[in-house]
Amino acid sequence: MTRPSEYVRNLNQKLEDWEYQLDRFRHRLQDLREELRERGEERAEDLQARRAVLREKLDAVEEQGEHALEDIRDGLELAWEGLRLGLLSARSEFEPRDDD
């Protein structure tokens, strides 16, 4: 099993990569027509709000110490998975496919 400090470090790294992917998604939205761009930006804002919730939980673990991790690990995992899947869904809906 992963030590709590490694878990937090790993989740921080995943979140940093996710933020980069969200920035790329937002940049690609600029190439879409206005209606799609607005819908895509709404999705991105929703994801950003969900990311803030995860960041608060992660900050709480870092502030309260690693013993707090066991209490909220499941919530962190659910929040992370929701972010990951939300971005994948948004990308598949708004980004052009290679075969188009």
Side-chain angles (χ1 to χ4, degrees):
M1 177 151 179
T2 305
R3 289 186 18 225
S5 60
E6 291 174 16
Y7 178 83
V8 170
R9 190 172 30 256
N10 184 30
L11 191 53
N12 273 316
Q13 181 61 44
K14 286 179 181 180
L15 192 54
E16 186 177 311
D17 183 56
W18 180 90
E19 290 167 346
Y20 172 76
Q21 295 297 325
L22 181 63
D23 286 343
R24 287 183 58 202
F25 172 71
R26 281 189 148 147
H27 179 73
R28 290 177 180 167
L29 287 174
Q30 301 310 308
D31 295 334
L32 299 176
R33 65 182 193 269
E34 185 176 355
E35 176 187 325
L36 284 176
R37 185 173 52 245
E38 288 174 3
R39 280 188 23 230
E41 192 57 40
E42 287 174 9
R43 291 280 300 271
E45 288 174 14
D46 176 59
L47 289 168
Q48 195 69 36
R50 291 166 51 187
R51 174 238 169 254
V53 171
L54 176 60
R55 174 51 65 193
E56 288 175 12
K57 290 180 181 186
L58 198 52
D59 288 346
V61 169
E62 291 174 340
E63 289 175 13
Q64 295 175 9
E66 294 179 352
H67 66 277
L69 177 61
E70 293 306 315
D71 294 336
I72 64 169
R73 184 184 298 252
D74 290 340
L76 285 171
E77 287 295 323
L78 287 172
W80 165 247
E81 198 60 19
L83 279 178
R84 188 181 73 77
L85 293 175
L87 184 56
L88 287 173
S89 173
R91 288 176 63 189
S92 69
E93 181 178 349
F94 293 98
E95 291 182 353
R97 293 178 185 85
D98 291 336
D99 58 349
D100 285 350

